[in-house]
Amino acid sequence: MQEKEKRECCCGEKKKEKFVEELFSEYKPIKDNLIQMLNEVQEHYGYIPMDIQKELSEFLSIPMAEIYGVVTFYSRFSLKPKGKYNISVCLGTACFVKGSQKIMDRLLERLQIQPGETTKDGLFSIEETRCVGACGLAPVFTVNGEVYGKATVQKLDQVLDELMKL
């Protein structure tokens, strides 16, 4: 399983300034670049920090409300840090019919958090998704984008046990 390194928000530190400076040097200050820039921020921090939204607002001359609207509209973006392992369970029709709710229920039971939350140790976060485009493999869950098809509660337990050992 390939692990993607996520960086914590370094609010007020030089690292953040360097990232923002590099980001702003890559793009022209035009509104059309918002989503691409948000993607880079999401990749860098694992979420979209409020202070970066403010800097994007100033750089692109876009009201904060509009940036917030984009961030909350697209499920790709998050306003809160996610866990080292972000687990998504597809609850779309094909997956649901084939038992994905049982997988979600077991995940909630094991991690003792709700969708949209992160465990206190910062290791796991849970999301509900409606379709990951793998209906032929239903039911499906993902860990950091890696798809686990024809999933079962037992397979989820096996993956969680493996991740907890790392």
Side-chain angles (χ1 to χ4, degrees):
M1 190 174 320
Q2 190 176 10
E3 218 176 285
K4 187 186 283 184
E5 181 184 333
K6 290 188 180 171
R7 296 170 191 89
E8 293 298 315
C9 178
C10 307
C11 302
E13 293 181 15
K14 295 282 182 207
K15 288 181 184 176
K16 185 201 89 180
E17 292 170 8
K18 184 178 179 187
F19 169 75
V20 172
E21 285 174 16
E22 289 173 2
L23 182 68
F24 289 178
S25 71
E26 286 180 39
Y27 293 93
K28 293 180 180 174
I30 57 173
K31 184 178 181 174
D32 290 348
N33 288 330
L34 176 62
I35 291 179
Q36 293 164 303
M37 294 177 82
L38 287 171
N39 270 319
E40 292 209 28
V41 171
Q42 180 74 40
E43 283 294 315
H44 184 77
Y45 295 109
Y47 72 113
I48 313 286
M50 184 58 70
D51 62 323
I52 303 296
Q53 290 180 54
K54 289 176 184 174
E55 291 189 50
L56 284 169
S57 173
E58 291 171 16
F59 179 73
L60 299 172
S61 300
I62 298 173
M64 278 293 292
E66 190 171 334
I67 291 176
Y68 180 81
V70 171
V71 170
T72 56
F73 179 79
Y74 292 103
S75 62
R76 153 118 182 83
F77 302 129
S78 175
L79 291 169
K80 295 189 280 185
K82 294 184 181 182
K84 180 177 181 180
Y85 303 109
N86 186 37
I87 303 173
S88 298
V89 178
C90 180
L91 297 175
T93 304
C95 287
F96 189 82
V97 167
K98 294 204 172 186
S100 63
Q101 187 62 54
K102 291 177 188 169
I103 294 166
M104 176 59 84
D105 292 344
R106 178 64 174 161
L107 187 59
L108 299 174
E109 177 187 328
R110 286 277 311 260
L111 299 181
Q112 294 295 298
I113 58 172
Q114 294 300 307
E117 296 179 345
T118 301
T119 56
K120 289 178 185 175
D121 60 10
L123 275 181
F124 297 98
S125 52
I126 300 174
E127 291 182 347
E128 296 175 330
T129 58
R130 293 292 167 237
C131 187
V132 296
C135 300
L137 298 174
V140 168
F141 70 90
T142 65
V143 178
N144 294 349
E146 184 175 336
V147 176
Y148 292 85
K150 307 238 183 250
T152 62
V153 169
Q154 293 77 18
K155 179 65 175 175
L156 173 70
D157 282 338
Q158 179 184 19
V159 169
L160 284 176
D161 291 344
E162 199 176 296
L163 294 173
M164 288 176 178
K165 289 178 189 173
L166 299 177

